[in-house]
């Protein structure tokens, strides 16, 4: 029966794996409802198809397999149909060309889930082997403990399943905020402990020790998880306690909108603030993030960290997720609202790109020699000075640079 069922199921495995990958892509593209509908449709077909194929059509165990792959195939077709209406990408022939640059962030993002899936397989194999081994030494024999495993699972093995779920959720949470180094070991912590105790406890308690290995592993895993989450949460809390600028758009006079992009270490932020002071207009840096957070309901730290180096490894996938897209959209709206209030200086946050088609916008890029910048920053990716109306070497001094920008703005406004 296992052979009859397995041959049919394995024949569908490539499409089933592709469907799972497509479902993840669809969720990352901002359409989780579509992905859920595709998976639910396949599940309903499977649930209804099993009794029909097994009993009505009298196909036995093979009928169950055919019902399963029918549901998987329908889910695959629904997911494949999405590719023609995707929001952030289009499939081309070149999309199927292997790329090490793309595989690296994919592996970084998926390592936690990969380890979780592998651990499930390992646990199943280890438990089956141990149940037969220690069952043969008991009064039940080799087969009965293996068959009765499902019954005892409900009472002992799965006694703390809620704790298991909470521990996995914490691992996924850490993964989603870019802390992959903590998420990967946490995702397999419970399963690693389960394998360890499944090997140790039966030596003392016999075959029932296999069942009790799960709740023991759950308790230890959740204790470690709580300790780690408290540390992470405190770190987020300390960030939240730092002074936050008011989410207020300041009225200003009519005039130029100045966007300032800068290389790391070029004092671009300070120069921008000096320019705003001398021109008597508002300056927006962290204030822009506060306005975007107020409009979107997202945390300021979340929006501010969109471009942080912590997520650089998985940047391409990270930036396509729905929460990040919401944050970027909120930031864009905040920039456009700020511009309506009048002349101002906007530092960073891709304002030069957002306002690329707006009239009366002066895009400035602040740069400096590497030796000057490396006094405060090193090992960073530097910007490209192309595409700006004005590029200034900041090594001449902050005040002089600010004066030059003000003179340039005055000349433009005179025109």
């Amino acid at each position: 029966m296992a052979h009859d069922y397995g041959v049919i199921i394995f024949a569908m495995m490539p499409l089933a794996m592709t469907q799972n990958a497509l479902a993840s892509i669809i969720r990352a593209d901002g359409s989780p409802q579509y992905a859920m509908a595709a998976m639910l449709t396949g599940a309903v077909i499977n649930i209804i198809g099993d009794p029909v194929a097994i009993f009505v059509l009298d196909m036995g165990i093979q009928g169950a397999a055919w019902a399963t792959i029918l549901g998987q195939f329908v889910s695959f077709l629904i997911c494949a149909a999405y590719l023609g209406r995707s929001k952030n990408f289009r499939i081309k022939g070149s999309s199927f060309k292997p790329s090490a640059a793309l595989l690296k962030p994919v592996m970084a993002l998926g390592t936690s889930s990969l380890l979780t899936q592998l651990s499930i397989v390992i646990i199943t194999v280890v438990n089956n082997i141990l149940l037969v081994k220690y069952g043969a030494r008991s009064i039940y024999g080799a087969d009965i403990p293996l068959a009765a495993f499902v019954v005892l699972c409900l009472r002992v093995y799965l006694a703390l399943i809620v704790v298991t779920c909470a521990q996995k959720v914490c691992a996924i949470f850490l993964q989603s905020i870019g802390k992959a180094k903590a998420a990967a070991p946490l995702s397999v912590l419970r399963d690693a402990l389960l394998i360890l105790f499944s090997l140790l406890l039966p030596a003392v308690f016999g075959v029932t020790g296999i069942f009790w290995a799960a709740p023991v592993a759950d308790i230890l895993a959740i204790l470690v998880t709580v300790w780690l989450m408290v540390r992470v949460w405190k770190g987020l809390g300390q960030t939240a306690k730092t002074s936050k600028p008011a989410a207020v758009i300041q009225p200003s006079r009519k005039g130029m909108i100045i966007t300032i992009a800068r290389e790391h270490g070029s004092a671009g932020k300070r120069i921008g603030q000096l320019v705003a002071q001398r021109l008597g207009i508002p300056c927006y840096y962290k204030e822009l993030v506060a306005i975007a957070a107020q409009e979107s309901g997202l945390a300021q730290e979340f929006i501010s960290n969109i471009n942080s180096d912590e997520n650089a490894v998985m940047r391409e996938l990270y930036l396509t997720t729905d929460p990040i897209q919401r944050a970027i959209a909120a930031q864009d709206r905040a920039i456009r609202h700020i511009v309506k209030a009048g002349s101002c200086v906007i530092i960073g946050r891709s304002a030069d790109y957002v306002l690329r088609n707006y009239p009366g916008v002066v895009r400035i890029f602040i740069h400096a020699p590497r030796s000057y910048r490396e006094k405060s920053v090193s090992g960073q990716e530097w910007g490209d000075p192309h595409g700006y109306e004005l590029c200034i070497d900041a090594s001449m001094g902050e005040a002089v640079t600010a004066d030059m920008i003000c003179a340039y703005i005055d000349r433009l406004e005179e025109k």
Side-chain angles (χ1 to χ4, degrees), residues 203-215:
V204 179
F205 301 103
V207 68
T208 57
I210 300 173
F211 306 130
W212 286 102

Side-chain angles (χ1 to χ4, degrees), residues 10-92:
F10 285 131
M12 185 62 185
M13 195 58 64
L15 285 183
M17 295 175 66
T18 303
Q19 183 270 322
N20 282 332
L22 288 174
S24 297
I25 292 172
I26 293 169
R27 287 194 295 270
D29 194 46
S31 301
Q33 296 90 345
Y34 190 100
M36 181 177 68
M39 299 181 73
L40 286 177
T41 301
V44 171
I45 292 175
N46 189 4
I47 292 171
I48 298 175
D50 275 343
V52 172
I54 294 171
F55 302 112
V56 178
L57 301 179
D58 196 25
M59 298 174 66
I61 193 67
Q62 291 183 333
W66 283 109
T68 299
I69 68 170
L70 176 61
Q72 293 173 340
F73 185 65
V74 172
S75 293
F76 165 77
L77 291 178
I78 295 174
C79 288
Y82 180 85
L83 298 179
R85 49 173 288 185
S86 55
K87 300 176 182 178
N88 299 298
F89 68 94
R90 287 292 181 269
I91 293 293
K92 302 177 292 186

Side-chain angles (χ1 to χ4, degrees), residues 135-172:
R137 301 178 184 178
S138 69
I139 59 175
Y140 307 109
D143 296 329
I144 291 178
L146 185 62
F149 184 54
V150 175
V151 177
L152 283 177
C153 260
L154 298 176
R155 296 190 301 174
V156 179
Y157 198 83
L158 300 181
L160 297 179
I161 188 64
V162 174
V163 174
T164 303
C165 295
Q167 194 265 336
K168 297 294 184 183
V169 166
C170 290
I172 294 172

Side-chain angles (χ1 to χ4, degrees), residues 81-409:
Y82 180 85
L83 298 179
R85 49 173 288 185
S86 55
K87 300 176 182 178
N88 299 298
F89 68 94
R90 287 292 181 269
I91 293 293
K92 302 177 292 186
S94 59
S95 302
F96 297 93
K97 182 180 179 181
S99 169
L102 292 178
L103 286 175
K104 184 178 178 180
V106 168
M107 291 300 296
L109 187 65
T111 296
S112 178
S113 298
L114 173 65
L115 293 176
T116 298
Q117 296 298 322
L118 287 176
S119 63
I120 292 173
V121 174
I122 295 172
I123 288 170
T124 302
V125 172
V126 170
N127 276 338
N128 287 346
I129 293 174
L130 292 175
L131 285 167
V132 172
K133 176 182 177 180
Y134 286 98
R137 301 178 184 178
S138 69
I139 59 175
Y140 307 109
D143 296 329
I144 291 178
L146 185 62
F149 184 54
V150 175
V151 177
L152 283 177
C153 260
L154 298 176
R155 296 190 301 174
V156 179
Y157 198 83
L158 300 181
L160 297 179
I161 188 64
V162 174
V163 174
T164 303
C165 295
Q167 194 265 336
K168 297 294 184 183
V169 166
C170 290
I172 294 172
F173 168 75
L174 292 176
Q175 183 182 16
S176 68
I177 63 173
K179 297 187 180 297
K181 293 181 180 179
L186 197 63
S187 65
V188 297
L189 173 62
R190 183 260 183 186
D191 299 329
L193 290 172
L194 176 55
I195 294 173
L196 175 64
F197 287 115
S198 294
L199 294 171
L200 296 178
L201 294 184
V204 179
F205 301 103
V207 68
T208 57
I210 300 173
F211 306 130
W212 286 102
V216 173
D218 285 331
I219 293 172
L220 291 179
I222 198 62
L223 289 176
V224 174
T225 301
V226 168
W227 171 79
L228 180 59
M229 289 301 296
V230 168
R231 291 191 61 185
V232 172
W233 206 259
K234 283 183 177 179
L236 296 176
Q238 290 173 356
T239 303
K241 291 177 183 178
T242 58
S243 59
K244 296 187 177 96
V248 176
I249 298 178
Q250 303 176 42
S252 182
R253 59 178 172 82
K254 290 184 178 181
M256 294 291 178
I257 305 298
I258 305 164
T259 69
I260 294 183
R262 75 277 191 211
E263 288 182 316
H264 290 290
S266 65
K269 180 180 73 172
R270 177 59 183 156
I271 291 170
Q273 292 169 339
L274 286 173
V275 169
Q277 289 175 9
R278 298 186 182 187
L279 293 177
I281 58 177
C283 180
Y284 296 93
Y285 177 55
K286 290 185 177 181
E287 295 83 359
L288 192 156
V289 175
I291 294 168
Q294 179 176 282
E295 291 191 359
S296 65
L298 297 170
Q300 290 188 33
E301 292 76 19
F302 181 75
I303 297 176
S304 180
N305 289 334
I306 290 176
N307 296 320
S308 67
D309 292 333
E310 187 172 8
N311 298 303
V313 176
M314 55 188 75
R315 176 155 310 284
E316 294 300 323
L317 294 176
Y318 174 73
L319 291 178
T320 61
T321 59
D322 186 57
I324 299 301
Q325 289 298 310
R326 284 177 54 205
I328 293 174
Q331 186 173 274
D332 288 0
R333 289 194 301 270
I335 291 173
R336 291 184 171 90
H337 290 164
I338 287 170
V339 168
K340 292 178 181 179
S343 181
C344 64
V345 174
I346 303 177
I347 301 172
R349 313 313 299 181
S350 301
D352 56 297
Y353 177 79
V354 175
L355 303 175
R356 61 193 181 280
N357 296 322
Y358 274 59
V361 174
V362 180
R363 300 177 300 166
I364 297 172
F365 185 82
I366 306 294
H367 64 96
R370 180 176 292 271
S371 58
Y372 176 86
R373 292 179 280 127
E374 286 182 348
K375 290 179 181 179
S376 57
V377 180
S378 62
Q380 304 292 328
E381 293 184 5
W382 311 117
D384 184 354
H386 298 91
Y388 295 88
E389 282 73 27
L390 179 64
C391 292
I392 300 180
D393 184 343
S395 63
M396 67 184 76
E398 297 176 5
V400 174
T401 304
D403 288 339
M404 292 184 65
I405 294 175
C406 293
Y408 179 72
I409 297 302

